[in-house]
Amino acid sequence: VKAVVLDPRNDFNVDQTLTKKDVQNLIQLCVTRLLDTTNPSLSTIKMQVYFDMNYANRAELLSEQHRVLEGRLAPVVRDITDSRPRVQEIESVYQKIVSYVLLSSGLGSPTDIEVVREVTAGLQSVFPQREMITFISLSKKNKEQQLKNLAKLVTGIRLYNKECGKGGSSIDDLPAILNESIPSATQTVDERLNTCHRLAHQYTALVESMQEDQHRYTQLSSFKLKEALFNVRQYEAFLCILLSDAITSAQEVEKMKVQFAATMEQLKNTVQNKVSIDTKEVFPLFVALSNLWSGFQNEILLLSFLTDMTNNLQQFLEIQSQLFPEEVLTSLLEGVTVKSDEERIRETMGTRVNVSDFKNQEWLFPETTDNFDQLLIQYHGFCAHAIGVKGLTLPGNPAIGILKHKERCYVFSSKEAAYIFAQDPDKFIQLNIEKAKEHAELILLLELYHQFEYLAPYKQARNAGKYLMKPTTKCDSGTQTDTHILPPTIVPSYEWNEWELRRKAIKLANLRRKLTHAMQTDVSHMRRDNSTQVYLPKDVSTQTKRDNSSNVPRPQIFLEGLRGGSSSTTHMVKVDLTRPIDEN
């Protein structure tokens, strides 16, 4: 739909609401374009959509694979970490750990008894069953971490045993497989790239001959040569991405092979038929072997992905053989000189832009620019002049000079093209945009997304007679609106429920008979304020006794004659002088 709307030949105005007639016209144009199986432009767009939907770089692909593997192992991990087995069930949990180690390593089938025995033996050597009691007492996170460590240790032990010839018969020799697969995959991509290059060079020569000779234009105008050229160039760009990934994979494999061999040799020297070995010495080596082997497994996955992508992209090039069979293409090329991209660049290697001819333009050259090879070139490295003027994707030669215009870099296929473009860069940039409107596949091929951000509708641009669409000025602004303009009238303490009111009343009544206690510990002392609220004490007194007193006479009794007298007989006289009580 975007391709049809952008095409100026269809005369749509995107700023106006489409009428019912416009919608019907748009639907008809879209259906007609989708049913046109002889148009290479449709195959190119399909190829771009397929690649955009399915391609993933190394990091994305490995991350997705890791996520899928963890999802498959999640039920097993959950059974192990969440279980609280009794003594008679410990053996069952131990067997689940064996299954997890086997599945996470990907070395062998869980249904192979020999493989299961080998994994069990390796696990018992580093994690005997008697240690299950300690394992069960760990937290869930620690259990998961220990499971991963056990899986790596057992994998490293199995790889070491395979190297020593003591097991590992079910483990494939991944380095050897990669040594055969990577060159084969690279060769396949190279062969298809060569086919692309040949077709692109032939189509380019035919389009140039059309523009130079009117008779040839009449003869070849019925052929969709430009669309076919864009299809081949897009296929070539995608193959270059896949080839780069394959080369990166080959480099990673070579590094890992060296590291794997060195780690295995170090492990052999450490063990040397010893009866007992310090785990601190060998366990890191086993883990390193496991990590390197996981790297080999990742490269197998990446190589399989690249092979599938390469094979699936081939279907979008089949239209070339339908439109241009070998005999037809051979007859069309009679008398036409076909130049390769390398030959075109060699022809212009001796020419260079003279900077003094331009006062207000900035040109970049290898000897005057740092990181010259890493500059981001516009239009995927194609000549900025040939796209809009000739409708060709000619390779640009940076040695001629790179024009830096509005912080963007442009290359050219010849010195003449560079001079013409530099006289009015904005005009030719707009021409390239107009060409991309006619051929929507150029938007992705030439990486023109940023150019289409500020495009005005085609009718307005044509009526205004302007070629340059200036971007709309942007600025950051912000506003703030009060959440509640009027003061709130909500009473949070309001209750309409009678039973809720009764509950609060009972709660308050009970509170009068409660005591509040507070205390501080050594940890909280002097760190926070504590307060309690009690009912104030009231003074209450009672009278339990009455004080009274009385005054009685003091007794006064005298005895006479106790000391004796002249007579031999003592006569004692008692005299009571005490006053009576009732005496006033």
Side-chain angles (χ1 to χ4, degrees), residues 38-84:
T38 62
N39 191 351
S41 177
L42 182 61
S43 295
T44 306
I45 293 176
K46 287 181 178 179
M47 175 171 33
Q48 293 170 343
V49 172
Y50 171 80
F51 195 84
D52 182 59
M53 296 289 290
N54 293 275
Y55 175 75
N57 56 34
R58 289 176 59 89
E60 293 172 348
L61 189 63
L62 295 180
S63 175
E64 178 65 17
Q65 176 65 15
H66 182 68
R67 187 188 64 80
V68 171
L69 180 60
E70 285 189 344
R72 292 175 180 174
L73 294 175
V76 182
V77 175
R78 198 180 303 114
D79 289 343
I80 297 173
T81 57
D82 293 346
S83 62
R84 291 291 184 269

Side-chain angles (χ1 to χ4, degrees), residues 530-541:
N530 290 330
S531 61
T532 59
Q533 182 177 357
V534 299
Y535 289 103
L536 295 177
K538 58 182 179 178
D539 297 333
V540 178
S541 61

Side-chain angles (χ1 to χ4, degrees), residues 350-361:
T351 60
R352 173 179 286 200
V353 171
N354 188 2
V355 180
S356 60
D357 295 339
F358 303 92
K359 296 182 179 179
N360 300 322
Q361 302 290 357

Side-chain angles (χ1 to χ4, degrees), residues 227-341:
E227 289 83 352
L229 174 61
F230 299 152
N231 178 265
V232 173
R233 287 295 191 186
Q234 184 63 80
Y235 184 67
E236 175 191 3
F238 288 155
L239 285 183
C240 288
I241 294 174
L242 298 179
L243 181 62
S244 175
D245 289 345
I247 294 174
T248 303
S249 182
Q251 295 171 347
E252 291 294 326
V253 168
E254 289 300 322
K255 289 193 295 185
M256 287 191 296
K257 283 169 58 180
V258 173
Q259 295 174 2
F260 187 83
T263 305
M264 186 66 73
E265 187 65 25
Q266 183 181 358
L267 186 58
K268 288 181 179 179
N269 295 334
T270 304
V271 176
Q272 290 181 348
N273 298 324
K274 294 180 182 178
V275 178
S276 61
I277 309 169
D278 189 1
T279 57
K280 294 181 180 180
E281 296 181 12
V282 293
F283 277 13
L285 298 178
F286 286 138
V287 172
L289 285 180
S290 175
N291 291 334
L292 290 170
W293 199 261
S294 297
F296 288 131
Q297 292 174 325
N298 292 336
E299 296 304 328
I300 289 285
L301 172 69
L302 290 166
L303 187 61
S304 174
F305 171 75
L306 295 177
T307 303
D308 292 341
M309 287 291 296
T310 304
N311 294 333
N312 292 332
L313 284 177
Q314 183 65 23
Q315 61 182 315
F316 302 107
L317 204 68
E318 293 176 354
I319 194 172
Q320 302 289 339
S321 59
Q322 299 174 9
L323 293 178
F324 303 99
E326 192 66 31
E327 57 275 8
V328 174
L329 193 58
T330 303
S331 63
L332 292 176
L333 289 170
E334 291 181 0
V336 178
T337 302
V338 178
K339 296 181 182 179
S340 66
D341 291 345

Side-chain angles (χ1 to χ4, degrees), residues 9-24:
R9 294 170 294 188
N10 297 326
D11 221 20
F12 280 104
N13 190 342
V14 294
D15 272 3
Q16 295 181 0
T17 304
L18 296 179
T19 63
K20 188 175 182 180
K21 182 179 179 180
D22 292 335
V23 173
Q24 292 297 328

Side-chain angles (χ1 to χ4, degrees), residues 305-498:
F305 171 75
L306 295 177
T307 303
D308 292 341
M309 287 291 296
T310 304
N311 294 333
N312 292 332
L313 284 177
Q314 183 65 23
Q315 61 182 315
F316 302 107
L317 204 68
E318 293 176 354
I319 194 172
Q320 302 289 339
S321 59
Q322 299 174 9
L323 293 178
F324 303 99
E326 192 66 31
E327 57 275 8
V328 174
L329 193 58
T330 303
S331 63
L332 292 176
L333 289 170
E334 291 181 0
V336 178
T337 302
V338 178
K339 296 181 182 179
S340 66
D341 291 345
E342 292 76 11
E343 291 174 347
R344 292 178 185 273
I345 292 177
R346 281 198 298 268
E347 289 177 356
T348 58
M349 285 302 292
T351 60
R352 173 179 286 200
V353 171
N354 188 2
V355 180
S356 60
D357 295 339
F358 303 92
K359 296 182 179 179
N360 300 322
Q361 302 290 357
E362 181 180 0
W363 293 90
L364 306 178
F365 298 97
E367 63 275 7
T368 60
T369 307
D370 294 334
N371 301 322
F372 183 81
D373 296 334
Q374 299 177 9
L375 292 175
L376 182 61
I377 306 299
Q378 299 299 305
Y379 306 132
H380 203 70
F382 293 117
C383 176
H385 174 262
I387 295 169
V389 176
K390 300 179 180 180
L392 287 174
T393 50
L394 298 178
N397 185 3
I400 296 174
I402 296 179
L403 174 64
K404 187 175 182 181
H405 177 69
K406 294 183 178 179
E407 301 302 322
R408 301 187 186 278
C409 299
Y410 303 90
V411 293
F412 308 95
S413 58
S414 65
K415 180 179 178 181
E416 294 75 14
Y419 271 72
I420 296 173
F421 185 92
Q423 291 175 2
D424 192 355
D426 293 330
K427 170 186 173 181
F428 291 99
I429 291 173
Q430 188 62 30
L431 285 177
N432 296 338
I433 294 174
E434 296 297 327
K435 185 63 66 174
K437 284 184 179 183
E438 297 177 10
H439 304 278
E441 62 269 25
L442 289 177
I443 297 175
L444 180 62
L445 175 60
L446 303 180
E447 301 170 353
L448 293 175
Y449 292 114
H450 63 280
Q451 299 283 5
F452 280 81
E453 245 180 316
Y454 310 108
L455 274 181
Y458 182 77
K459 274 190 176 181
Q460 295 180 12
R462 184 176 58 185
N463 294 337
K466 296 181 179 179
Y467 291 96
L468 177 61
M469 298 297 115
K470 295 183 179 180
T472 305
T473 304
K474 294 184 177 181
C475 64
D476 295 331
S477 63
T479 59
Q480 182 176 358
T481 305
D482 292 338
T483 306
H484 301 289
I485 300 176
L486 299 177
T489 58
I490 300 174
V491 180
S493 60
Y494 171 75
E495 286 290 347
W496 62 270
N497 193 337
E498 178 183 353

Side-chain angles (χ1 to χ4, degrees), residues 37-163:
T37 56
T38 62
N39 191 351
S41 177
L42 182 61
S43 295
T44 306
I45 293 176
K46 287 181 178 179
M47 175 171 33
Q48 293 170 343
V49 172
Y50 171 80
F51 195 84
D52 182 59
M53 296 289 290
N54 293 275
Y55 175 75
N57 56 34
R58 289 176 59 89
E60 293 172 348
L61 189 63
L62 295 180
S63 175
E64 178 65 17
Q65 176 65 15
H66 182 68
R67 187 188 64 80
V68 171
L69 180 60
E70 285 189 344
R72 292 175 180 174
L73 294 175
V76 182
V77 175
R78 198 180 303 114
D79 289 343
I80 297 173
T81 57
D82 293 346
S83 62
R84 291 291 184 269
R86 294 187 290 270
V87 177
Q88 57 271 24
E89 298 175 346
I90 289 180
E91 185 175 355
S92 174
V93 178
Y94 193 80
Q95 291 301 321
K96 292 180 181 179
I97 296 178
V98 173
S99 300
Y100 170 82
V101 171
L102 178 56
L103 292 173
S104 63
S105 65
L107 303 180
S109 172
T111 59
D112 191 339
I113 301 299
E114 187 70 23
V115 173
V116 175
R117 289 177 180 174
E118 184 179 339
V119 173
T120 305
L123 182 62
Q124 288 177 347
S125 64
V126 295
F127 183 69
Q129 191 168 336
R130 62 177 179 272
E131 295 185 10
M132 281 295 297
I133 303 298
T134 306
F135 177 81
I136 294 171
S137 64
L138 297 175
S139 64
K140 184 175 181 178
K141 185 177 181 180
N142 291 337
K143 286 181 182 178
E144 294 176 354
Q145 185 61 41
Q146 187 163 354
L147 285 176
K148 293 179 181 179
N149 293 337
L150 290 175
K152 291 182 179 181
L153 286 173
V154 175
T155 302
I157 292 172
R158 293 182 64 195
L159 293 172
Y160 175 74
N161 291 338
K162 175 180 173 62
E163 183 71 16

